[in-house]
Amino acid sequence: MPEPGSTLSIGNRVAFHRRQRGLTQVGLAQRLNRSVGWVRNIEQGRRQVDSTTVILELAAALGVEPNKLTGRPLFPPPSGPKLPDPSGVLADLRRVLLHYDGIHGLDLPDDRAPRPVVELEREVQVAEQTRRSDPRNFSAVVWMLPELIRDTRHAARHAGEHTAERRRAWGLLARLYSQATGALWQWGDDDLGWIAADRSIRAAEQTDDPLLILVGIRTVQQPLLAKGHLGEVIDLVDAGGRLIAAGKDARPEQLVLLGGVQLAGAFAAARAKDPAEHARLRRLVEQAADRLGADRLVFGNNFGPGDVALQHVGELVELHQPAKALRRAEQLPTDPLPQVDRRAFHRIHQAKARFLQRKDRETAGLLLQAWEIAPELTPHEQMTAEMVRAMAERARYRYNPQLRILVDRLGIA
């Protein structure tokens, strides 16, 4: 039986995978510790899936990845003047991440002189800046990655053992694999993104630099969070803390990178509905942000008071406290941070809060704003399509022009 199409609701997909596993609605209800009526209403669309937490519970009970239930819309091919063959770019990225370039004769020959690391460093910084600032941040970056990874790996391989040049090259590789992880999450290739994250932390370990190992840890947290492994995301906070003690002598760059790891843990704790752990981690990130005094960027990773405040809105939504989330959002500037993804998520968090309050016009308006800011990110955020589908069902007899635009863009019947 083929996988269900991308336009089906989460309820349709739950029913499909339940039957695939030979489960009755009673059996699924028992696994979830829910009533049979709750399962029936989810499958029949009479009850909406209103949070990522519910998606994770259903996915765990059915033994599938969360994206099998969300059915994110098919991502259009990357586009732009640098991409005459988009499918070729993606195939090349897969080859370089899976390390089978040599089999195809596509890796760099050993007798080719490696590029200077300082030159590669400049290009990595360009890729990181492009991903932060370009609205089409997937298409703008993905074409850079295969050649940069290949050249940097070649430089690392040919640098002398135990040299500063070798450590710098491996550090650049850790950052490039981190960029690839983010791009592949956005593309929807979670398995390849997981491989990129593993490459990032392995490259970071070659540097013996705790800061770069924290970059690798933060990178691994992203696919773990997407796959619903919330406890592991939180466990990595303590692993990061063992690398760097955030005491009074901690340097700003240490606070930025450890704070980013802690912030991901706080979000995971909120999603796991663990208020005690969430409160503990939120105290840590707020202390680190207060000590920094302003948002800073280290190795392509941002952290500071703006980041902490913005994500607090999303955490409150995950804790099903929409009124508090909106009050927190109202305390912030319209765009507390300049990065494309942060500006978009500021609106997506508020849209989720409005959705929980069943304020559909405001929800649709915020999602459209996010879409205009980040058209390659917003449609593929985990709850976007389900919110639009639920609002379309509720609005059968009420005309909402902004919702109509979203329905058409997502191809929802």
Side-chain angles (χ1 to χ4, degrees):
M1 186 184 295
E3 286 284 328
S6 63
T7 60
L8 294 182
S9 70
I10 287 178
N12 296 143
R13 289 168 171 273
V14 168
F16 171 86
H17 289 291
R18 174 179 59 75
R19 289 192 291 267
Q20 283 286 89
R21 278 149 186 76
L23 281 172
T24 64
Q25 289 180 337
V26 173
L28 180 56
Q30 288 173 341
R31 288 190 178 193
L32 290 163
N33 197 25
R34 302 265 193 175
S35 71
V36 178
W38 186 90
V39 171
R40 186 181 302 115
N41 287 337
I42 287 287
E43 291 189 353
Q44 295 178 359
R46 292 198 295 266
R47 183 185 184 95
Q48 301 302 330
V49 175
D50 59 5
S51 73
T52 304
T53 303
V54 175
I55 295 171
L56 297 179
E57 289 176 4
L58 288 163
L62 291 166
V64 298
E65 294 289 339
N67 63 5
K68 294 289 188 181
L69 299 184
T70 55
R72 297 197 308 181
L74 293 174
F75 200 103
S79 59
K82 302 285 187 179
L83 291 169
D85 179 14
S87 62
V89 169
L90 291 166
D92 202 14
L93 181 57
R94 177 176 290 275
R95 276 194 294 268
V96 78
L97 286 173
L98 294 177
H99 284 204
Y100 62 92
D101 309 62
I103 298 172
H104 289 259
L106 295 172
D107 208 1
L108 300 178
D110 283 340
D111 59 356
R112 173 176 158 175
R115 293 175 61 190
V117 173
V118 66
E119 180 182 303
L120 293 168
E121 195 162 37
R122 285 195 296 268
E123 293 191 24
V124 171
Q125 289 170 348
V126 168
E128 290 171 343
Q129 172 59 24
T130 301
R131 183 158 174 80
R132 289 193 301 273
S133 60
D134 196 301
R136 305 193 73 83
N137 56 355
F138 172 75
S139 293
V141 169
V142 69
W143 67 271
M144 304 180 190
L145 296 176
E147 183 177 359
L148 258 179
I149 291 172
R150 197 175 289 121
D151 284 350
T152 307
R153 200 165 63 205
H154 188 66
R157 192 161 52 232
H158 286 269
E161 287 291 323
H162 311 298
T163 63
E165 193 83 347
R166 181 180 182 276
R167 289 192 296 273
R168 284 175 69 194
W170 277 110
L172 291 179
L173 266 178
R175 291 160 63 181
L176 284 167
Y177 288 135
S178 180
Q179 288 288 303
T181 302
L184 289 162
W185 169 82
Q186 204 167 321
W187 168 255
D189 194 333
D190 294 338
D191 291 336
L192 193 56
W194 177 253
I195 290 169
D198 180 69
R199 299 269 187 260
S200 178
I201 201 161
R202 287 177 180 273
E205 287 170 343
Q206 297 295 318
T207 69
D208 293 323
D209 184 343
L211 293 178
L212 285 161
I213 295 172
L214 283 173
V215 171
I217 288 174
R218 179 65 192 92
T219 303
V220 168
Q221 284 177 311
Q222 182 170 344
L224 285 173
L225 188 63
K227 290 174 177 290
H229 302 307
L230 306 178
E232 293 177 50
V233 176
I234 296 167
D235 288 344
L236 284 170
V237 174
D238 295 328
R242 288 192 291 272
L243 284 170
I244 290 176
K248 63 180 181 180
D249 297 327
R251 302 190 307 276
E253 59 269 26
Q254 294 175 322
L255 292 173
V256 168
L257 293 171
L258 182 57
V261 170
Q262 292 168 337
L263 194 57
F267 192 85
R271 180 166 284 180
K273 304 294 187 290
D274 186 340
E277 187 66 5
H278 173 256
R280 178 182 78 88
L281 293 171
R282 177 125 290 268
R283 281 194 298 273
L284 291 176
V285 298
E286 289 178 352
Q287 287 167 5
D290 287 345
R291 289 173 62 187
L292 278 170
D295 282 78
R296 295 172 183 252
L297 195 69
V298 177
F299 296 149
N301 289 261
N302 185 82
F303 179 80
D307 213 15
V308 169
L310 187 151
Q311 185 153 301
H312 195 199
V313 177
E315 291 165 18
L316 290 168
V317 173
E318 294 291 337
L319 289 165
H320 267 230
Q321 299 176 19
K324 283 187 178 181
L326 292 167
R327 284 197 298 273
R328 187 73 183 96
E330 288 166 1
Q331 296 168 0
L332 303 179
T334 303
D335 285 311
L337 293 170
Q339 293 97 320
V340 165
D341 62 338
R342 299 300 199 271
R343 291 169 57 213
F345 272 113
H346 188 40
R347 288 154 177 84
I348 291 169
H349 292 327
Q350 293 176 72
K352 289 179 178 179
R354 292 294 187 192
F355 176 74
L356 290 172
Q357 295 179 325
R358 300 178 74 88
K359 295 182 177 179
D360 292 355
R361 286 186 180 276
E362 292 93 331
T363 303
L366 286 161
L367 286 176
L368 274 181
Q369 288 178 36
W371 200 307
E372 295 308 312
I373 291 166
E376 291 191 341
L377 182 153
T378 304
H380 304 280
E381 201 281 330
Q382 207 163 29
M383 280 294 295
T384 295
E386 190 62 18
M387 285 192 290
V388 172
R389 186 177 286 108
M391 290 189 294
E393 183 67 24
R394 294 200 291 245
R396 280 186 179 178
Y397 306 107
R398 297 188 304 276
Y399 182 62
N400 182 340
Q402 292 178 310
L403 178 58
R404 184 72 258 168
I405 294 170
L406 290 166
V407 167
D408 290 343
R409 287 183 180 179
L410 289 167
I412 293 172

